[in-house]
C-alpha cells in the first residue's frame, strides 16, 4: 500500500500570506495526486487533480506542483474563505489520503 | 448536474449491522464506479472501496474486507454500503463519491452519513 505523509498538520497564516503544504508518497505516484479542501460539517471539495490541474471553479491563487514522490500545494494571498482543512490524495495505486492540514488564521 | 444524496444519520448498537445508501442522479449510474470513504470524528479520510454498478464488480481497501459490503441497485440508481459487526471504531461519517472522468478522482461527493455506534 502507498502511504502519504502530509505536513504540516496545522498551519497558522495571516490574510494575504502564502502557505505551502507538502505530501510525500512512499513510492513514485507518477503525478497522480489531487488536493481537497474540507470545511467543518461539509464534504471535501476537489481543488486540483493530476498534480497541478485546477478543476473548474478553483481560484487561481491555488496551485500544485511536484513529481515522483514529492508534491506541494500552495495558496498565495490567503483569504478568509480559505480557512479549512486540506488533504492530498494519491490515486496512482488504489487511493490513499494524507492525514490533513488544518489552516487557521493567525 | 451530478448529485449524490445519502441517507440520514444512524444510531446503532455494537455488534449490529447498518446499511446506508447513496442515490445518484444527473448521469448514467451504470457508467461510473461509486466509491465510499470514511472519516472518523476529527480525523482524516480513508478510502473503503468502490463498486461499478454496470456489472457489480467491487474492489476493497484490504482494511475493510469483511467489514464493508458494497452493492448497487441499477433500477433506482442507488449504491449501498453495509457495515457489519459494528464497534465504536466504526463511528464515523461515511461519504459516497464519484470520479469526474478520466484522471479525475472523487470530483463529486455525497453530503455524508453519520453512523454512531453506541449501546
Amino acid at each position: 500500500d502507498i502511504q502519504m505523509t502530509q505536513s504540516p498538520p496545522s498551519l497558522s497564516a495571516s490574510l494575504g500570506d502564502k502557505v505551502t503544504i507538502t505530501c510525500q508518497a512512499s513510492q513514485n505516484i507518477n503525478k497522480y495526486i489531487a488536493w481537497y479542501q474540507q470545511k467543518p460539517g461539509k464534504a471535501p471539495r476537489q481543488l486540483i487533480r493530476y498534480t497541478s490541474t485546477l478543476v473548474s471553479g478553483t481560484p487561481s491563487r491555488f496551485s500544485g506542483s511536484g513529481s515522483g514522490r514529492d508534491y506541494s500545494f500552495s495558496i498565495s494571498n490567503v483569504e478568509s474563505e480559505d480557512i479549512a482543512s486540506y488533504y492530498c490524495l494519491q490515486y496512482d495505486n488504489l487511493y490513499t489520503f494524507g492525514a490533513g492540514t488544518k489552516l487557521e488564521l493567525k | 448536474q451530478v448529485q449524490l444524496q445519502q441517507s440520514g444519520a444512524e444510531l446503532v448498537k455494537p455488534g449490529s449491522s447498518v446499511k446506508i445508501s447513496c442515490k445518484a442522479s444527473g448521469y448514467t449510474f451504470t457508467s461510473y464506479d461509486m466509491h465510499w470513504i470514511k472519516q472518523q470524528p476529527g480525523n482524516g479520510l480513508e478510502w473503503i472501496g468502490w463498486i461499478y454498478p454496470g456489472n457489480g464488480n467491487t474492489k476493497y481497501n484490504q482494511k475493510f474486507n469483511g467489514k464493508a459490503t458494497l452493492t448497487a441497485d441499477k433500477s433506482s440508481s442507488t449504491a449501498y454500503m453495509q457495515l457489519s459487526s459494528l464497534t465504536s471504531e466504526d463511528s464515523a461519517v461515511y461519504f459516497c463519491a464519484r470520479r469526474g472522468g478520466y484522471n479525475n478522482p472523487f470530483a463529486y461527493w455525497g453530503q455524508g452519513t453519520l453512523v454512531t455506534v453506541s449501546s
Side-chain angles (χ1 to χ4, degrees):
Chain A
D1 291 9
I2 297 176
Q3 308 303 315
M4 297 297 287
T5 302
Q6 183 172 343
S7 62
S10 64
L11 204 45
S12 185
S14 301
L15 297 178
D17 280 356
K18 179 177 180 177
V19 298
T20 298
I21 298 167
T22 63
C23 269
Q24 182 176 66
S26 57
Q27 64 190 65
N28 179 9
I29 55 171
N30 300 299
K31 295 194 170 188
Y32 289 109
I33 187 168
W35 293 90
Y36 294 81
Q37 176 192 68
Q38 187 180 32
K39 296 184 177 180
K42 298 292 188 183
R45 170 195 168 197
Q46 188 187 49
L47 299 177
I48 289 174
R49 64 179 180 87
Y50 197 55
T51 296
S52 59
T53 301
L54 270 60
V55 303
S56 176
T58 301
S60 59
R61 63 181 181 276
F62 294 92
S63 64
S65 65
S67 63
R69 294 175 55 205
D70 297 307
Y71 298 85
S72 64
F73 167 86
S74 295
I75 312 172
S76 61
N77 201 11
V78 167
E79 299 190 5
S80 57
E81 65 185 35
D82 301 333
I83 301 309
S85 292
Y86 292 87
Y87 296 90
C88 63
L89 165 73
Q90 74 78 21
Y91 57 104
D92 180 61
N93 185 345
L94 298 183
Y95 304 88
T96 314
F97 290 91
T101 296
K102 187 173 184 179
L103 175 61
E104 298 171 317
L105 268 182
K106 194 177 292 183
Chain B
Q1 72 282 21
V2 174
Q3 289 192 324
L4 303 175
Q5 183 66 38
Q6 295 186 231
S7 49
E10 301 270 5
L11 174 60
V12 292
K13 294 194 182 308
S16 69
S17 297
V18 69
K19 192 172 186 177
I20 61 180
S21 66
C22 172
K23 183 171 176 58
S25 60
Y27 71 99
T28 303
F29 180 63
T30 52
S31 295
Y32 293 85
D33 31 288
M34 188 70 77
H35 297 253
W36 290 87
I37 292 146
K38 176 182 181 181
Q39 186 169 40
Q40 288 178 292
N43 281 7
L45 301 156
E46 272 188 295
W47 174 73
I48 296 170
W50 56 255
I51 181 167
Y52 184 69
N55 58 16
N57 282 356
T58 55
K59 178 73 175 179
Y60 295 92
N61 179 340
Q62 270 193 311
K63 177 179 176 180
F64 292 93
N65 269 327
K67 170 62 67 177
T69 303
L70 306 183
T71 57
D73 177 4
K74 289 188 279 190
S75 68
S76 62
S77 297
T78 302
Y80 297 92
M81 178 173 67
Q82 178 162 321
L83 299 168
S84 59
S85 303
L86 292 166
T87 73
S88 58
E89 284 301 302
D90 299 313
S91 292
V93 175
Y94 293 88
F95 294 99
C96 59
R98 203 211 85 177
R99 62 184 169 91
Y102 174 72
N103 198 1
N104 190 0
F106 309 158
Y108 303 100
W109 293 69
Q111 81 275 23
T113 296
L114 175 63
V115 174
T116 304
V117 182
S118 174
S119 55

